[in-house]
Amino acid sequence: MTITPPALSVFETLESEVRSYCRGWPAVFDRAQGARLTDEDGHSYLDFFAGAGSLNYGHNNPVLKRALIDYIERDGITHGLDMATTAKRAFLETFQNVILRPRDLPYKVMFPGPTGTNAVESALKLARKVKGRESVVSFTNAFHGMSLGSLAVTGNAFKRAGAGIPLVHGTPMPFDNYFDGTVPDFLWFERLLEDQGSGLNKPAAVIVETVQGEGGINVARAEWLRALQELCHRQDMLLIVDDIQMGCGRTGGFFSFEEAGIVPDIVTLSKSISGYGLPMSLCLFKPELDIWEPGEHNGTFRGNNPAFVTAAAVLDAYWADGQMEKQTLARGEQVEQTLLAICAEEPTAQFRGRGLVWGMEFEDKARASAVCARAFELGLLLETSGPQSEVVKLLPSLTITPEELDEGLRTLARCVRETA
């Protein structure tokens, strides 16, 4: 199948130049179900992007759709600020019983607003309030959001430049394997912390992604994450894990940090927490950190009750029996075996990932964009990541079938061959 881009008319004449995804995928999408989207002309596309990780359970998941329609039809609360509602209570009880208690996680739950960057902003604000310090350490190639506080702990130069003002109170440190194993973990970080002449203000917290999604699918080792937690404890810094894209089962376990056996002080969740693509985010933190005054951090759209409904339905349907983690890891092995075969034929390529998030990088940095462009022509939605868009990013839904996954991987292999 070869797809001819449509005339986009009003999108080009009226919508802002800031639009991005539609440039790589010049189609007008009309319907979606499971792992597939359909455009206005009836062309079908296999989705290996899943709404940037916000659709872990596929498009219009029938279990979630039914719960949502039933709630709307009975005139359930849609907008509730932070009022107590039956939908919020059901979500909180389900989240506690299905996710927190089985993992022995003591977290309080905060609803900071609809998006991931809202969760990050609240985490940074809380850490500074608790510790009485301003500085927060982040890592090279990190991405934490597009609002000013989140951008200050983001590494990408292009995104940071969009702020238009200096981004302060954030200090970058090398992510795992930044020096290709030639420098001991945290050598520079610890030296700065202990040297009274280093110029590093004592940080309130460290914020980290266990797998850097937008940064190029950079996977932190479990031992590196454990050492980071120990360093934070020794130096009286809070550990914040940004699980906005890698949480909700993307790497296997519900939280991406479970494999490392750590318990962060603060965790941010968004994207697939609602399950249906509805805006929702959480900031989780240990009870002793809950020193907020009522209303000290708020927002109009932090009470998205339809999102509470689908979020509770997701947990009941997919996380109560432990099967989702096993399925994701099995699908991940399927991806890994195919990428091994592709890289055996293409010596300039390498890959990395966990669960159902994978990246393929080429020596020729422009190759990733060429692969994704060819994939679109063949009906496969793929996106790039990395500071120079040098990585092909695979982010299919967790509910994709083995047959659909194989279809997409075969298309990927074809694209790699045809762009050589």
Side-chain angles (χ1 to χ4, degrees):
M1 175 180 66
T2 300
I3 295 162
T4 302
L8 298 181
S9 60
V10 70
F11 303 110
E12 295 176 334
T13 60
L14 186 60
E15 191 179 1
S16 167
E17 292 298 317
V18 79
R19 65 192 189 280
S20 59
Y21 292 118
C22 58
R23 298 181 189 276
W25 301 328
V28 180
F29 296 104
D30 183 48
R31 304 184 312 280
Q33 173 61 52
R36 297 185 185 275
L37 293 88
T38 305
D39 69 16
E40 285 185 327
D41 297 323
H43 298 127
S44 177
Y45 302 79
L46 187 59
D47 187 2
F48 266 32
F49 185 60
S54 63
L55 295 165
N56 281 3
Y57 312 96
H59 295 269
N60 287 302
N61 183 292
V63 175
L64 312 186
K65 181 165 62 175
R66 185 73 264 159
L68 180 58
I69 289 172
D70 288 347
Y71 182 76
I72 293 171
E73 285 186 338
R74 74 168 184 81
D75 291 330
I77 297 291
T78 295
H79 181 273
L81 295 167
D82 71 350
M83 295 184 292
T85 65
T86 55
K88 182 195 282 189
R89 180 175 59 201
F91 167 72
L92 285 170
E93 290 175 347
T94 305
F95 190 67
Q96 183 176 50
N97 293 332
V98 176
I99 301 300
L100 297 181
R101 279 180 179 159
R103 293 162 179 79
D104 198 25
L105 295 173
Y107 297 133
K108 297 288 288 292
V109 178
M110 175 182 177
F111 300 100
T115 72
T117 200
N118 293 130
V120 170
E121 294 284 357
S122 67
L124 299 177
K125 184 188 288 189
L126 180 60
R128 288 167 171 143
K129 179 179 173 66
V130 169
K131 292 300 182 183
R133 308 179 205 131
E134 296 177 356
S135 178
V136 173
V137 167
S138 57
F139 291 95
T140 50
N141 292 314
F143 178 77
H144 295 290
M146 297 296 281
S147 51
L148 291 181
S150 301
L151 276 177
V153 290
T154 287
N156 187 285
F158 174 74
K159 293 181 172 64
R160 289 175 63 89
I165 61 171
L167 297 169
V168 297
H169 309 306
T171 303
M173 289 291 166
F175 190 70
D176 190 14
N177 204 38
Y178 187 73
F179 295 109
D180 300 318
T182 61
V183 177
D185 295 339
F186 307 116
L187 175 66
W188 175 243
F189 193 1
E190 289 203 79
R191 183 72 58 86
L192 291 179
L193 287 168
E194 295 169 0
D195 183 357
Q196 296 300 307
S198 71
L200 175 65
N201 293 331
K202 181 77 171 182
V206 175
I207 185 167
V208 67
E209 303 154 276
T210 67
V211 180
Q212 294 181 327
E214 300 306 308
I217 318 301
N218 306 311
V219 183
R221 294 166 295 140
E223 54 266 35
W224 186 85
L225 292 168
R226 288 192 290 269
L228 177 60
Q229 178 176 257
E230 292 167 6
L231 174 61
C232 288
H233 288 170
R234 288 199 310 274
Q235 296 289 343
D236 187 34
M237 302 179 296
L238 296 178
L239 177 61
I240 305 169
V241 167
D242 181 340
D243 236 3
I244 287 165
Q245 188 167 89
M246 298 304 156
C248 301
R250 175 55 58 181
T251 65
F254 187 84
F255 296 104
S256 70
F257 55 80
E258 291 180 47
E259 180 188 51
I262 65 173
V263 180
D265 299 293
I266 304 175
V267 180
T268 59
L269 288 174
S270 187
K271 291 197 182 283
S272 275
I273 187 61
S274 80
Y276 203 74
L278 299 175
M280 177 177 173
S281 72
L282 305 178
C283 186
L284 314 176
F285 38 82
K286 293 179 178 178
E288 61 269 24
L289 304 181
D290 192 10
I291 62 171
W292 293 114
E293 295 291 335
E296 190 174 8
H297 187 92
N298 57 24
T300 304
F301 291 100
R302 67 195 185 281
N304 186 351
N305 282 256
F308 296 154
V309 170
T310 55
V314 156
L315 300 180
D316 279 332
Y318 293 102
W319 290 98
D321 61 3
Q323 291 306 305
M324 177 54 71
E325 180 174 355
K326 295 177 182 177
Q327 177 177 300
T328 298
L329 294 176
R331 301 282 193 275
E333 291 178 6
Q334 185 180 348
V335 175
E336 185 174 13
Q337 291 306 309
T338 300
L339 295 182
L340 276 169
I342 292 173
C343 290
E345 294 183 8
E346 177 51 79
T348 68
Q350 57 179 326
F351 71 92
R352 51 192 177 264
R354 280 178 58 196
L356 274 177
V357 53
W358 294 84
M360 176 174 284
E361 185 174 1
F362 302 90
E363 287 182 7
D364 177 4
K365 296 188 183 301
R367 183 88 173 274
S369 294
V371 167
C372 291
R374 181 59 178 146
F376 174 77
E377 293 174 349
L378 297 174
L380 175 66
L381 300 184
L382 283 172
E383 184 55 280
T384 61
S385 71
Q388 300 178 66
S389 299
E390 73 276 19
V391 178
V392 175
K393 183 179 185 180
L394 281 66
L395 207 69
S397 65
L398 308 185
T399 53
I400 193 169
T401 67
E403 294 76 21
E404 290 169 329
L405 191 56
D406 182 64
E407 176 188 340
L409 292 170
R410 281 188 280 107
T411 301
L412 171 63
R414 176 180 171 182
C415 294
V416 172
R417 287 194 301 269
E418 293 183 357
T419 56

